[in-house]
Amino acid sequence: MKIAGHTLGTPNHDLAGALRLFRNAGLDAAEVIYQKDYAAAITPSDERSAGRAAEIARAEDVPIVALTPYTTAINSMDAGAWSEGVNELRACIAAAHTVGAKRVRVYAGSWHAHDRDWGAHWTRLRTALEVLAGDAADAGVVLCVENHFGTMTQTAESTARLVREVDAPSVGVLY
Protein backbone atom coordinates (compact mmCIF):
# COMPACT_ATOMS: atom_id res chain seq x y z
CA MET A 1 0.00 0.00 0.00
CA LYS A 2 1.17 3.50 -0.82
CA ILE A 3 0.37 6.45 1.40
CA ALA A 4 -0.09 9.61 -0.63
CA GLY A 5 -0.39 13.23 0.32
CA HIS A 6 -2.97 15.40 -1.42
CA THR A 7 -2.06 18.89 -2.59
CA LEU A 8 -5.44 20.08 -1.35
CA GLY A 9 -3.68 20.16 2.03
CA THR A 10 -0.82 22.35 0.78
CA PRO A 11 -2.40 25.67 -0.23
CA ASN A 12 0.69 27.66 0.75
CA HIS A 13 3.12 25.60 -1.37
CA ASP A 14 3.88 25.38 -5.04
CA LEU A 15 3.93 21.87 -6.51
CA ALA A 16 7.64 21.31 -5.88
CA GLY A 17 7.26 22.45 -2.28
CA ALA A 18 4.23 20.21 -1.74
CA LEU A 19 5.99 17.14 -3.13
CA ARG A 20 9.09 17.92 -1.08
CA LEU A 21 6.91 18.21 2.03
CA PHE A 22 5.35 14.81 1.25
CA ARG A 23 8.79 13.22 0.73
CA ASN A 24 10.14 14.71 3.97
CA ALA A 25 7.06 13.45 5.81
CA GLY A 26 7.80 9.92 4.60
CA LEU A 27 4.85 9.70 2.21
CA ASP A 28 5.12 7.45 -0.83
CA ALA A 29 3.23 9.42 -3.46
CA ALA A 30 1.00 12.41 -4.24
CA GLU A 31 -2.48 13.16 -5.46
CA VAL A 32 -2.37 16.50 -7.27
CA ILE A 33 -5.12 19.02 -7.91
CA TYR A 34 -5.91 19.76 -11.56
CA GLN A 35 -7.29 23.30 -11.69
CA LYS A 36 -6.33 26.87 -12.46
CA ASP A 37 -5.24 29.36 -9.82
CA TYR A 38 -3.90 26.87 -7.28
CA ALA A 39 -0.13 26.83 -6.76
CA ALA A 40 0.28 23.11 -5.99
CA ALA A 41 -1.62 21.98 -9.08
CA ILE A 42 -1.46 21.13 -12.73
CA THR A 43 -3.04 24.01 -14.63
CA PRO A 44 -5.59 22.87 -17.25
CA SER A 45 -5.01 25.80 -19.61
CA ASP A 46 -1.22 25.32 -19.65
CA GLU A 47 -0.24 22.56 -22.09
CA ARG A 48 3.23 22.27 -20.51
CA SER A 49 2.00 22.09 -16.91
CA ALA A 50 1.66 18.29 -16.80
CA GLY A 51 5.14 17.81 -18.26
CA ARG A 52 6.62 20.16 -15.66
CA ALA A 53 4.71 18.30 -12.93
CA ALA A 54 6.21 15.01 -14.13
CA GLU A 55 9.71 16.54 -13.98
CA ILE A 56 9.07 17.88 -10.46
CA ALA A 57 7.78 14.49 -9.31
CA ARG A 58 10.93 12.77 -10.65
CA ALA A 59 13.20 15.38 -9.06
CA GLU A 60 11.48 15.08 -5.68
CA ASP A 61 11.19 11.28 -6.00
CA VAL A 62 7.47 11.42 -5.22
CA PRO A 63 5.33 9.83 -7.92
CA ILE A 64 2.01 11.42 -8.79
CA VAL A 65 -0.53 8.60 -8.53
CA ALA A 66 -3.79 10.53 -9.00
CA LEU A 67 -5.19 13.83 -10.22
CA THR A 68 -8.15 15.72 -8.79
CA PRO A 69 -10.14 17.95 -11.10
CA TYR A 70 -13.11 19.67 -9.51
CA THR A 71 -15.20 19.40 -12.66
CA THR A 72 -18.94 19.22 -11.95
CA ALA A 73 -20.58 20.18 -15.26
CA ILE A 74 -20.69 16.58 -16.51
CA ASN A 75 -24.37 16.34 -15.58
CA SER A 76 -25.35 19.78 -16.89
CA MET A 77 -28.40 20.09 -19.10
CA ASP A 78 -26.67 22.96 -20.93
CA ALA A 79 -24.92 21.36 -23.92
CA GLY A 80 -22.04 23.82 -23.90
CA ALA A 81 -21.34 23.43 -20.20
CA TRP A 82 -21.62 19.63 -20.48
CA SER A 83 -19.15 19.54 -23.38
CA GLU A 84 -16.78 21.82 -21.51
CA GLY A 85 -16.90 19.52 -18.47
CA VAL A 86 -16.30 16.41 -20.58
CA ASN A 87 -13.42 18.10 -22.38
CA GLU A 88 -11.85 19.22 -19.11
CA LEU A 89 -11.95 15.66 -17.81
CA ARG A 90 -10.59 14.39 -21.14
CA ALA A 91 -7.65 16.83 -20.79
CA CYS A 92 -7.16 15.71 -17.18
CA ILE A 93 -6.98 12.08 -18.34
CA ALA A 94 -4.26 13.11 -20.81
CA ALA A 95 -2.41 14.98 -18.05
CA ALA A 96 -2.67 11.91 -15.80
CA HIS A 97 -1.10 9.84 -18.55
CA THR A 98 1.70 12.39 -18.91
CA VAL A 99 2.57 12.35 -15.21
CA GLY A 100 2.13 8.58 -14.86
CA ALA A 101 -0.95 8.80 -12.63
CA LYS A 102 -3.27 5.82 -12.87
CA ARG A 103 -6.28 7.45 -11.21
CA VAL A 104 -8.44 10.53 -11.78
CA ARG A 105 -10.90 11.50 -9.06
CA VAL A 106 -14.33 12.35 -10.49
CA TYR A 107 -17.08 14.40 -8.92
CA ALA A 108 -20.41 13.02 -10.12
CA GLY A 109 -21.79 16.27 -11.43
CA SER A 110 -23.55 18.77 -9.21
CA TRP A 111 -26.76 18.12 -7.30
CA HIS A 112 -28.64 19.87 -4.50
CA ALA A 113 -32.01 19.33 -2.85
CA HIS A 114 -33.60 22.22 -4.79
CA ASP A 115 -32.51 20.84 -8.20
CA ARG A 116 -35.10 19.44 -10.58
CA ASP A 117 -35.29 16.54 -13.03
CA TRP A 118 -32.95 14.10 -11.34
CA GLY A 119 -33.38 11.51 -14.10
CA ALA A 120 -32.28 13.83 -16.89
CA HIS A 121 -29.20 14.95 -14.96
CA TRP A 122 -28.37 11.34 -14.09
CA THR A 123 -28.53 10.40 -17.78
CA ARG A 124 -26.17 13.26 -18.68
CA LEU A 125 -23.76 12.13 -15.95
CA ARG A 126 -23.84 8.48 -17.02
CA THR A 127 -23.37 9.50 -20.66
CA ALA A 128 -20.35 11.64 -19.78
CA LEU A 129 -18.69 8.74 -17.99
CA GLU A 130 -19.53 6.36 -20.83
CA VAL A 131 -17.91 8.81 -23.27
CA LEU A 132 -14.83 9.25 -21.07
CA ALA A 133 -14.39 5.56 -20.22
CA GLY A 134 -12.71 4.85 -23.55
CA ASP A 135 -10.31 7.78 -23.21
CA ALA A 136 -9.42 6.60 -19.71
CA ALA A 137 -8.87 3.01 -20.83
CA ASP A 138 -6.65 4.16 -23.72
CA ALA A 139 -4.56 6.22 -21.28
CA GLY A 140 -4.30 3.42 -18.70
CA VAL A 141 -6.27 5.51 -16.21
CA VAL A 142 -9.22 4.64 -13.96
CA LEU A 143 -11.87 7.29 -13.32
CA CYS A 144 -12.69 7.06 -9.61
CA VAL A 145 -16.18 8.36 -8.86
CA GLU A 146 -16.16 10.01 -5.46
CA ASN A 147 -18.95 9.64 -2.95
CA HIS A 148 -19.35 13.34 -2.10
CA PHE A 149 -21.94 15.84 -0.92
CA GLY A 150 -23.23 18.25 -3.54
CA THR A 151 -22.92 15.61 -6.29
CA MET A 152 -25.25 12.94 -7.63
CA THR A 153 -23.33 10.28 -5.68
CA GLN A 154 -23.92 11.43 -2.14
CA THR A 155 -24.40 7.87 -0.94
CA ALA A 156 -22.53 4.63 -1.44
CA GLU A 157 -25.68 3.22 -3.02
CA SER A 158 -25.86 5.92 -5.71
CA THR A 159 -22.12 5.69 -6.36
CA ALA A 160 -22.31 1.93 -6.87
CA ARG A 161 -25.37 2.31 -9.06
CA LEU A 162 -23.62 4.81 -11.34
CA VAL A 163 -20.52 2.66 -11.73
CA ARG A 164 -22.64 -0.41 -12.45
CA GLU A 165 -24.67 1.45 -15.08
CA VAL A 166 -21.55 2.75 -16.82
CA ASP A 167 -20.14 -0.80 -16.67
CA ALA A 168 -16.60 -0.07 -17.82
CA PRO A 169 -13.35 -1.36 -16.26
CA SER A 170 -11.94 2.17 -16.47
CA VAL A 171 -14.66 3.59 -14.18
CA GLY A 172 -14.56 2.70 -10.49
CA VAL A 173 -15.34 4.05 -7.04
CA LEU A 174 -13.41 6.26 -4.66
CA TYR A 175 -14.99 5.86 -1.26
Side-chain angles (χ1 to χ4, degrees):
M1 172 181 10
K2 290 184 179 183
I3 300 182
H6 195 311
T7 59
L8 174 66
T10 60
N12 297 320
H13 291 77
D14 63 9
L15 186 57
L19 298 187
R20 189 172 312 112
L21 176 70
F22 296 162
R23 179 177 38 84
N24 291 339
L27 301 178
D28 304 308
E31 181 169 348
V32 174
I33 289 176
Y34 180 85
Q35 79 175 38
K36 65 179 182 176
D37 299 328
Y38 190 81
I42 293 172
T43 304
S45 60
D46 182 348
E47 292 179 8
R48 294 175 293 180
S49 186
R52 285 193 304 271
E55 291 171 9
I56 291 167
R58 280 191 294 278
E60 295 299 334
D61 196 27
V62 177
I64 298 171
V65 296
L67 297 184
T68 302
Y70 293 103
T71 307
T72 59
I74 60 173
N75 72 331
S76 177
M77 298 310 294
D78 176 88
W82 184 85
S83 291
E84 189 176 307
V86 168
N87 287 334
E88 183 174 333
L89 281 173
R90 187 172 280 132
C92 184
I93 291 165
H97 182 73
T98 297
V99 301
K102 299 298 181 192
R103 304 285 185 267
V104 169
R105 183 183 298 244
V106 175
Y107 279 14
S110 176
W111 190 257
H112 302 284
H114 64 275
D115 290 334
R116 302 276 189 265
D117 203 356
W118 189 91
H121 286 274
W122 183 266
T123 298
R124 295 291 278 181
L125 172 62
R126 187 183 65 238
T127 301
L129 291 176
E130 289 168 348
V131 166
L132 292 164
D135 296 306
D138 290 346
V141 170
V142 175
L143 301 174
C144 301
V145 178
E146 185 170 2
N147 171 266
H148 200 280
F149 64 89
T151 72
M152 295 195 83
T153 55
Q154 295 182 36
T155 66
E157 180 180 21
S158 60
T159 307
R161 176 184 171 199
L162 178 63
V163 171
R164 282 188 192 109
E165 287 182 16
V166 173
D167 192 26
S170 60
V171 178
V173 174
L174 172 73
Y175 184 69

